[in-house]
Amino acid sequence: QVRLVQSGGGLVQPGGSLRLSCAASARIFSFNSMGWYRQAPGKERQLVARIISRGDTNYADLVKGRFTISRDNAKSTVFLQMNSLKPEDTAVYYCNAAGILTPVGYEPDVWGQGTQVTVSS
């Protein structure tokens, strides 16, 4: 089964920037969507940003204009560039890949291990 390995979380001051990475353990030949979710304490897990197979992107209203999702197809890696961070962005961020085809086979839904992002002065 393919795994998603995340990196890039940590502590940052309000107004700062952070870049998250999510690398698949195998090549992704095709996908339905790849993206990022986050879950703050006491809150439901919510979509942050995603890329669909045709190349379109979708962002949560709370992060539009501040966050940018991108992908390196050759490395089967997705990134989340986070700028102008706010304390309310504090959460555990999870990478997700849906409807992926890899050398291991087809998997409908795969999640990364999660990484903590804390925005505080």
Side-chain angles (χ1 to χ4, degrees):
Q1 182 171 326
V2 66
R3 293 181 173 86
L4 302 178
V5 181
Q6 301 178 214
S7 62
L11 175 65
V12 65
Q13 293 186 335
S17 297
L18 209 59
R19 184 175 176 86
L20 305 182
S21 298
C22 174
S25 62
R27 282 191 62 195
I28 297 178
F29 298 129
S30 63
F31 65 94
N32 183 37
S33 68
M34 296 184 67
W36 296 88
Y37 291 71
R38 69 186 184 187
Q39 187 167 20
K43 302 292 182 64
E44 299 289 328
R45 186 177 298 187
Q46 297 182 341
L47 174 69
V48 176
R50 66 181 176 183
I51 302 172
I52 63 173
S53 61
R54 295 179 66 89
D56 288 340
T57 58
N58 187 22
Y59 294 91
D61 288 341
L62 289 172
V63 308
K64 285 182 178 177
R66 299 188 297 119
F67 291 10
T68 303
I69 188 169
S70 61
R71 178 174 61 92
D72 185 335
N73 188 52
K75 297 181 179 180
S76 297
T77 302
V78 66
F79 306 93
L80 184 68
Q81 178 67 46
M82 304 184 292
N83 298 324
S84 301
L85 283 162
K86 305 174 180 179
E88 50 263 44
D89 294 317
T90 296
V92 177
Y93 284 69
Y94 296 91
C95 180
N96 173 259
I100 59 173
L101 181 64
T102 77
V104 181
Y106 175 84
E107 296 199 35
D109 201 23
V110 181
W111 292 89
Q113 80 277 16
T115 185
Q116 178 70 47
V117 171
T118 301
V119 185
S120 176
S121 59

